Amino acid sequence: MTAFPPRSAPGDAPAQDQFLTVLSREDAKARWDAHLPRERPAPEVVPLALALGRVVATTLPAPIDVPPFDRSLVDGFAVVAQDTAAASEAFPAALGLTGETVSCGVMPRQPVLAGTATVIATGGPIPRGADAVVMVEHTEPGPAGTVLVRRPAAPGQGIGHAGGDIARGEVLLRRGTVLTSREIGMLGATGVAALHVYRRPRVAVLSTGDELVAPGEPLGPAQIYDSNGPIVAAAVAENGGEPVSFGITADDEADLERTLREALGSCDMVILSGGTSKSAGDLTYRVVARLGSPGVVAHGVALKPGKPLCLAVAEGKPVVVLPGFPTSAMFTFHDFVAPVLRRMAGLPPRGEDSVAARVPVRVPSEFGRTEFVMAALTKGDDGLVAYPTGKGSGAVTSFSQADGFFAIEAMADHLAAGTTARVTLLGQAAIPDVTIVGSHCVALDAVLEVLADRGITTRSVSVGSLGGLAAAKRGECDVAGIHLLDPASGRYNRPFLSEGLELLPGWRRMQGVLFRPDDARFAGKTPQGAVAAALADPDCLMVGRNQGAGTRILIDGLLAGARPRGYWNQPKSHNAVAAAIAQGRADWGLAIAPVARDYGLGFLPLAAEHYDFAVVAARRDTAGVAAFVAALDDPAVLAALAALGFERGRD
Ligand code: AMP
Ligand code: MG
């Protein structure tokens, strides 16, 4: 394969001429690794208050004993144990009080001699001569300056001995330990006010692309927000680095080179994203190749997502060009960059946990590339189920909403539905209390929020109404959100339930025709009249909906067999329809009322659509599903429905 041939100039370093082919993942890693620095990161001293999350650089012996002296563990009387050996309820031992009271922070002045006792508080230093402390509960006042001890005390009882907690010289913290509140507690107890930790590698983070705008700035036409910059910076911090943002550069070689040289001069590692696809003309690759020797060691990896990845080393520092597409960028960061960064930060390699899970759907894959499929885990009837979260590598959610990923080997062109895959976890996989699969609706978010407030964890996977129904039938979710019109009966949802599923009424939402409010072809008409006008005008362009969407059934009903221009433009959401009309890429389409309102569009009401839930009957009584059912009538949900113009459905 020669998909990404380096455009090497004759004077290029020889290392850059070796990569005429796309490398395997393992080869790419090995080549990069061979040029990376091996030495341990440099230590620096931080005060205890700033040590959280840092990595211990020098193994630390305890400088003192904790506790530093023998002290009382109870409120009571310091005694000589032998004096109490014969004590009982019936014949308590009478001991003469020394008259001293030892409290915390005060050194006792008098010894405890045979036949005497000293009043002592928890934490008080044990007086010389005493070898046990009797709890006050096991004593009673005796006549004139005595105390009566009703139980025998064993030597050592009630005493915390010096060094019993931490002994001076014992290893307190080992090199490589990540400091959490627990380790900080031990440091505090031994009086350590500052310690050596590894210096965090400074990692330059930079995004390239003419279309990119920093979050917080207004978004112009044809622009998108820079999501890679913030994600990479956060992931750098999660893996022990100190992100240094170099912002966004335009697709301009001179600009990019200037910024990269500055980044390389002041940081230990440089991560940029974008400018790697063919359309970008390998812009970043060419600039990175000029930075220094050995330069680019891998460009193009037989990996999906992430093929355009470019790995380089310049001035002894790793330089990475992540692919522009967010999921590709995140995955390649996780797979290639995080291990290197962790090593540079002195962190232990990340433990990679994996679980077995059934993949319920067929997943197509490109022959010849190892494909990593991002997946969300849910609990099925017979074990875990892994749902691909894929909206493609261009989507930020494919990675962000995934619990892990599984691989489809290079020599396969698909993974069959029902295959059990090994899912590598991206973090702690928490199986949610309720899984909702199906069509997404804005009002569902209000329900999920109420559940979250009650500590019920949820996962919602958007796969459309039919996908949700199929998942519910297979027992791969608890609840499916559906809005399906049965054209034969004119009824919603119920006709689609099969055995083992119950209908839980959700809400009614108004569907209608969307148009720009100044478009005279539609304003003031009925939906049918508006569509007739649209069909009569050859310049009028509609926007359709995908097969399987409830709205599609309404569209096909309205069109009665007509297929006007734009019908085959079939986005998967109400918002996409509204955006197309608002931006003038289409003139009309069908969507729900609140979306029309959000986009400032005109709306001709057509039909109240029923958005309901198919509940897996066998799961109805689980705590999660019971909470879900209750949440539907929560005042917060009812208020959200009202605000959206929806109405709570009843059976
Ligand atoms: P490129 O490699 O520059 O051709 O980018 C490939 C795709 O990723 C394009 O659709 C870019 O708009 C997108 N992309 C590139 N950089 C970013 C970024 N920092 N944040 C979000 N999307 C990006
Ligand atoms: Mg670009």
Side-chain angles (χ1 to χ4, degrees):
M1 258 185 288
T2 55
F4 291 90
R7 285 149 225 217
S8 45
D12 274 356
Q16 285 160 22
D17 286 332
Q18 297 168 17
F19 311 108
L20 295 166
T21 55
V22 171
L23 298 176
S24 75
R25 175 169 169 247
E26 289 66 33
D27 281 353
K29 282 189 178 194
R31 288 195 185 198
W32 201 33
D33 220 45
H35 292 280
L36 291 177
R38 293 259 139 227
E39 65 270 20
R40 244 187 258 292
E44 66 182 5
V45 175
V46 290
L48 196 55
L50 298 179
L52 185 67
R54 303 299 299 270
V55 187
V56 177
T58 330
T59 296
L60 197 73
I64 60 161
D65 283 325
V66 179
F69 49 87
D70 294 351
R71 62 178 177 178
S72 178
L73 298 176
V74 295
D75 288 335
F77 297 87
V79 299
V80 178
Q82 209 184 355
D83 289 346
T84 66
S88 66
E89 293 287 336
F91 301 102
L95 300 175
L97 289 170
T98 58
E100 185 176 23
T101 296
V102 177
S103 35
C104 282
V106 177
M107 272 311 284
R109 278 193 298 268
Q110 298 181 44
V112 170
L113 305 172
T116 70
T118 288
V119 176
I120 190 165
T122 304
I126 302 295
R128 180 182 165 84
D131 61 3
V133 179
V134 181
M135 281 171 81
V136 69
E137 290 85 341
H138 298 156
T139 66
E140 61 190 88
T146 62
V147 60
L148 302 179
V149 177
R150 299 194 309 252
R151 287 193 195 177
Q157 184 175 315
I159 296 178
H161 286 105
D165 191 355
I166 301 169
R168 183 200 302 209
E170 128 187 15
V171 169
L172 195 57
L173 292 175
R174 224 167 273 289
R175 184 173 67 206
T177 305
V178 181
L179 292 162
T180 70
S181 56
R182 296 186 303 255
E183 286 76 25
I184 286 175
M186 296 205 289
L187 292 167
T190 48
V192 175
L195 73 160
H196 280 98
V197 296
Y198 288 127
R199 189 176 71 75
R200 280 203 187 103
R202 284 167 55 85
V203 181
V205 179
L206 144 78
S207 302
T208 65
D210 290 338
E211 76 283 24
L212 300 179
V213 175
E217 301 292 319
L219 202 60
Q223 294 185 319
I224 61 168
Y225 281 119
D226 168 24
S227 58
N228 291 346
I231 298 164
V232 170
V236 162
E238 282 172 351
N239 287 283
E242 181 188 326
V244 182
S245 173
F246 281 77
I248 299 166
T249 61
D251 287 318
D252 177 279
E253 283 200 32
D255 254 8
L256 184 59
E257 184 163 349
R258 199 173 321 114
T259 313
L260 278 180
R261 288 199 185 277
E262 192 191 325
L264 204 56
S266 60
C267 293
D268 305 296
M269 181 179 201
V270 179
I271 305 178
L272 59 158
S273 68
T276 59
S277 65
K278 279 200 137 175
S279 65
D282 287 347
L283 173 98
T284 40
Y285 164 75
R286 270 179 282 126
V287 177
V288 167
R290 291 202 289 268
L291 288 180
S293 166
V296 173
V297 296
H299 180 216
V301 182
L303 172 76
K304 188 180 175 185
K307 187 175 177 183
L309 178 71
C310 171
L311 305 171
V313 179
E315 296 178 17
K317 299 170 182 178
V319 179
V320 194
V321 187
L322 299 176
F325 269 162
T327 284
S328 310
M330 283 182 263
F331 181 74
T332 47
F333 180 92
H334 173 89
D335 200 33
F336 288 80
V337 183
V340 169
L341 177 55
R342 293 182 74 87
R343 192 172 76 206
M344 289 172 67
L347 281 171
R350 192 180 34 207
E352 295 241 296
D353 285 339
S354 68
V355 294
R358 195 164 51 83
V359 182
V361 289
R362 182 183 193 275
V363 189
S365 162
E366 192 182 309
F367 188 81
R369 281 208 264 170
T370 306
E371 180 151 347
F372 292 89
V373 181
M374 305 300 142
L377 292 172
T378 68
K379 220 181 310 183
D381 285 336
D382 49 0
L384 293 174
V385 177
Y387 257 101
T389 53
K391 292 183 184 170
S393 49
V396 75
T397 49
S398 306
F399 189 91
S400 300
Q401 295 178 353
D403 293 308
F405 55 85
F406 58 86
I408 304 179
E409 54 160 293
M411 293 301 130
D413 65 357
H414 76 283
L415 185 85
T419 307
T420 294
R422 197 85 221 157
V423 178
T424 302
L425 302 178
L426 286 166
Q428 217 94 62
I431 304 302
D433 297 317
V434 198
T435 302
I436 305 133
V437 174
S439 167
H440 187 77
C441 174
V442 277
L444 188 55
D445 291 326
V447 180
L448 301 184
E449 190 166 309
V450 165
L451 290 170
D453 285 346
R454 293 185 188 163
I456 305 282
T457 55
T458 58
R459 156 140 315 122
S460 141
V461 185
S462 305
V463 294
S465 294
L466 290 172
L469 262 186
K473 281 181 196 163
R474 291 191 301 253
E476 287 160 9
C477 63
D478 302 299
V479 175
I482 55 172
H483 50 102
L484 291 166
L485 177 62
D486 173 34
S489 63
R491 293 177 68 198
Y492 271 98
N493 300 332
R494 196 176 285 283
F496 293 88
L497 297 188
S498 53
E499 208 187 308
L501 298 182
E502 289 173 9
L503 193 79
L504 176 64
W507 41 82
R508 314 288 169 246
R509 48 186 211 177
M510 192 52 81
Q511 295 258 18
V513 175
L514 271 55
F515 59 97
R516 285 180 300 282
D518 59 0
D519 193 332
R521 290 172 294 193
F522 301 97
K525 297 215 166 85
T526 62
Q528 291 76 10
V531 170
L535 291 177
D537 179 353
D539 278 343
C540 197
L541 197 58
M542 78 169 293
V543 48
R545 273 303 303 274
N546 57 307
Q547 182 69 40
T551 309
R552 168 67 173 273
I553 297 169
L554 289 177
I555 292 175
D556 288 347
L558 259 184
L559 289 176
R563 294 289 177 264
R565 277 179 64 209
Y567 177 86
W568 298 107
N569 174 17
Q570 300 186 339
K572 286 194 182 135
S573 77
H574 295 278
N575 286 55
V577 169
I581 298 165
Q583 292 161 5
R585 286 178 285 114
D587 301 313
W588 72 278
L590 255 62
I592 52 176
V595 167
R597 189 186 58 197
D598 286 350
Y599 283 80
L601 295 173
F603 183 76
L604 309 173
L606 173 65
E609 180 191 67
H610 294 204
Y611 180 92
D612 296 322
F613 300 97
V615 181
V616 177
R619 311 264 185 95
R620 180 108 197 191
D621 294 330
T622 62
V625 173
F628 182 86
V629 174
L632 291 179
D633 286 312
D634 187 280
V637 170
L638 298 177
L641 291 177
L644 289 166
F646 296 169
E647 219 178 286
R648 175 83 168 90
R650 303 283 160 210
D651 230 356

